[in-house]
Amino acid sequence: MSTLISEPEVDKLRRRARRSRRTEWWLAATLLAPNLLLLAIFTYRPLLDNFRLSFFNWNISSPTSTFIGFDNYVEFFTRSDTTQVLLNTLIFTVCAVAGSMVLGLLLAMLLDQKLFGRNFVRSMVFAPFVISGAAIGVAFQFVFDPNFGLVQDLLGRIGVDTPQFYQDPNWALFMVTFTFVWKNLGYSFVIYLAALQGLNKDLAEAAAVDGASSWTRFWRVTLPQLRPTTFFLSITVTLNSVQVFDIIHTMTRGGPLGNGTTTLVYQVYTETFTNYRAGYGATIATILFLILLVITVIQVRYMDRENKQK
């Protein structure tokens, strides 16, 4: 037997539902407002102010600035050193991201097994990540020193000449990239280790029973399950590597031979605080932001497409 609800009771229930939705909306707005305010003040306002400043010629020590339109952008794309800086940034970012993620995954798979002293080794792998990048850079200056460094000693024992890390731009870029990977390896390692411990072990066991080799199980079973983690790391490690400054500053100052290891972020620093051209530095920062935005959008769209195909 069904119970009929009168029209006044229906209206009462509707009003109660509307009040409940308004209460939830105001509660959400109250909780989100402080975070949104902080984001607006410390993130979006500086971003917009940087974009505005890119259209001005401003000596950072001067109280006045001159509007010059797109001249800074024209200068960036026509300067002779722009290609080298962009190439440095690309090589450093690709090698740093690939090195950190591949080595992090390999170490995570190794230390996910039951090995003696694995907790101690895990701590040692992660420890460099929490150390200051400037301190790491100073330490690795001595590691790569061509006269009395650790690399020189090891290569000398096997009769190999030490590369000129501080004179050859290619070796200098390798040096700072290696240092960055060594410092940030622990981040990828920890994320991958947590992901591996949350995988469905039954799939790998079923594949092993069916006679799949270790490589097949990794490629067909483990790696697909790690796709969300890999996607997350590809974004965070890319953003982190593109913005590296401390290691380059302490080890090479952007050299040798002018721009041997200068990346876009380091060029922002040199133009703003060394050459006192804050407007041009803001232009480079804006271009870097747009590059990162495009990369992130592409990555997100690719991941969304992959999820829809499942």
Side-chain angles (χ1 to χ4, degrees):
M1 181 178 181
S2 60
T3 302
L4 298 177
I5 302 176
S6 63
E7 189 66 26
E9 291 178 340
V10 171
D11 292 338
K12 184 178 180 180
L13 291 174
R14 288 174 179 172
R15 288 193 297 271
R16 185 180 300 173
R18 285 195 293 268
R19 284 197 300 269
S20 177
R21 285 195 296 266
R22 284 197 297 268
T23 301
E24 292 177 356
W25 189 91
W26 281 110
L27 177 61
T30 302
L31 295 175
L32 291 174
N35 294 326
L36 294 177
L37 181 62
L38 291 174
L39 281 173
I41 294 175
F42 296 106
T43 301
Y44 299 117
R45 181 184 175 277
L47 180 64
L48 294 175
D49 197 44
N50 179 83
F51 180 69
R52 179 194 63 82
L53 184 59
S54 67
F55 295 100
F56 287 81
N57 180 23
W58 178 41
N59 186 320
I60 195 172
S61 62
S62 173
T64 60
S65 58
T66 305
F67 179 78
I68 58 174
F70 288 93
D71 287 359
N72 284 328
Y73 292 91
V74 173
E75 179 182 349
F76 175 81
F77 288 107
T78 56
R79 274 178 53 159
S80 59
D81 61 345
T82 297
T83 302
Q84 182 64 49
V85 173
L86 289 173
L87 187 61
N88 289 344
T89 305
L90 177 63
I91 294 174
F92 178 86
T93 302
V94 171
C95 294
V97 172
S100 298
M101 293 180 62
V102 172
L103 293 177
L105 177 58
L106 293 177
L107 281 173
M109 295 181 65
L110 175 64
L111 296 177
D112 189 38
Q113 305 176 44
K114 294 182 179 180
L115 301 174
F116 176 76
R118 68 174 182 177
N119 290 334
F120 174 77
V121 178
R122 287 175 179 177
S123 301
M124 292 299 99
V125 172
F126 183 73
F129 179 69
V130 300
I131 302 176
S132 165
I136 295 291
V138 171
F140 271 80
Q141 276 187 309
F142 296 98
V143 171
F144 287 101
D145 189 282
N147 297 316
F148 54 85
L150 176 62
V151 174
Q152 181 271 337
D153 181 66
L154 294 177
L155 293 179
R157 293 176 183 272
I158 59 176
V160 178
D161 293 335
T162 306
Q164 296 300 316
F165 293 108
Y166 294 96
Q167 297 180 16
D168 188 325
N170 295 324
W171 281 111
L173 189 59
F174 165 81
M175 176 178 64
V176 296
T177 304
F178 179 90
T179 305
F180 176 86
V181 171
W182 186 86
K183 180 191 182 305
N184 293 274
L185 178 62
Y187 173 73
S188 299
F189 161 74
V190 167
I191 300 298
Y192 269 130
L193 181 62
L196 287 171
Q197 293 176 347
L199 293 184
N200 187 348
K201 305 295 185 182
D202 295 337
L203 296 176
E205 293 175 357
V209 171
D210 290 340
S213 63
S214 300
W215 171 254
T216 302
R217 292 199 301 272
F218 168 75
W219 188 257
R220 298 292 186 180
V221 179
T222 302
L223 205 56
Q225 294 185 81
L226 292 175
R227 188 171 297 168
T229 303
T230 301
F231 168 71
F232 169 78
L233 283 174
S234 67
I235 293 179
T236 55
V237 178
T238 298
L239 295 178
N240 189 23
S241 61
V242 169
Q243 299 177 73
V244 66
F245 168 81
D246 44 12
I247 291 176
I248 294 176
H249 185 64
T250 54
M251 296 188 73
T252 63
R253 298 293 196 276
L257 302 178
N259 297 310
T261 57
T262 297
T263 60
L264 286 172
V265 165
Y266 197 79
Q267 192 179 29
V268 171
Y269 166 79
T270 55
E271 293 293 344
T272 303
F273 299 105
T274 303
N275 300 333
Y276 300 103
R277 300 185 62 198
Y280 188 69
T283 299
I284 302 172
T286 301
I287 293 173
L288 177 60
F289 166 75
L290 294 176
I291 293 174
L292 292 176
L293 180 63
V294 170
I295 293 174
T296 304
V297 169
I298 293 174
Q299 289 174 317
V300 171
R301 287 196 173 186
Y302 174 78
M303 193 62 187
D304 289 342
R305 186 173 59 189
E306 290 289 320
N307 291 333
K308 290 179 181 179
Q309 291 176 354
K310 291 182 179 180

